[in-house]
Amino acid sequence: QVQLVESGGGLVQAGGSLRLSCAASGIDVSRNDMGWYRQAPGQQREMITIMTTANHIYYEDSVNGRFTMSRDNAKNTVYLQMNSLKPEDTAVYYCHAPKSGTYNVNRGDYWGQGTQVTVDS
């Protein structure tokens, strides 16, 4: 059974930083593409960053240069370092893994439960 457990969300002032963690079980993060999504109130869930098994990382334009995704294979955990946070970054952040192991093939999704990030202006 695959589980993705996020932690690290909270309330932060604009300009501040947070680091989200996603501890995985049932999959090997070093052998599976991984990603982070977010969903703001009243909006659709959007992909903000993905990391392939070849360590290629894609960032959505609104977070590029401020957010950094990384992976610790020994801990089977992925991270999202968020700097220079803005009020518009307020959302529930979700860890994601494609069931196929790669974002090139759609066979469904594994999702974490989400963690709330609130940026106060």
Side-chain angles (χ1 to χ4, degrees):
Q1 181 181 0
V2 175
Q3 284 193 312
L4 304 174
V5 180
E6 302 100 333
S7 61
L11 174 64
V12 64
Q13 294 293 314
S17 299
L18 283 174
R19 188 177 80 154
L20 306 183
S21 300
C22 171
S25 59
I27 60 170
D28 183 341
V29 300
S30 69
R31 298 185 178 189
N32 211 98
D33 289 356
M34 300 293 297
W36 287 95
Y37 287 63
R38 68 184 179 188
Q39 187 168 19
Q43 298 189 19
Q44 290 189 332
R45 193 173 297 187
E46 62 172 352
M47 181 176 67
I48 55 173
T49 180
I50 61 172
M51 174 186 282
T52 72
T53 55
N55 288 326
H56 297 133
I57 307 176
Y58 162 84
Y59 296 99
E60 192 271 333
D61 286 347
S62 68
V63 306
N64 194 24
R66 301 187 298 122
F67 290 12
T68 302
M69 184 174 180
S70 63
R71 177 174 62 204
D72 186 331
N73 294 338
K75 294 182 178 180
N76 208 33
T77 298
V78 295
Y79 301 95
L80 182 65
Q81 177 67 44
M82 305 185 294
N83 298 329
S84 302
L85 283 160
K86 305 175 182 180
E88 51 264 43
D89 293 318
T90 295
V92 178
Y93 284 70
Y94 296 91
C95 183
H96 174 266
K99 287 186 176 180
S100 68
T102 171
Y103 282 106
N104 293 325
V105 178
N106 185 3
R107 294 182 184 151
D109 308 286
Y110 296 118
W111 293 101
Q113 82 285 357
T115 185
Q116 176 71 45
V117 171
T118 303
V119 184
D120 189 356
S121 59

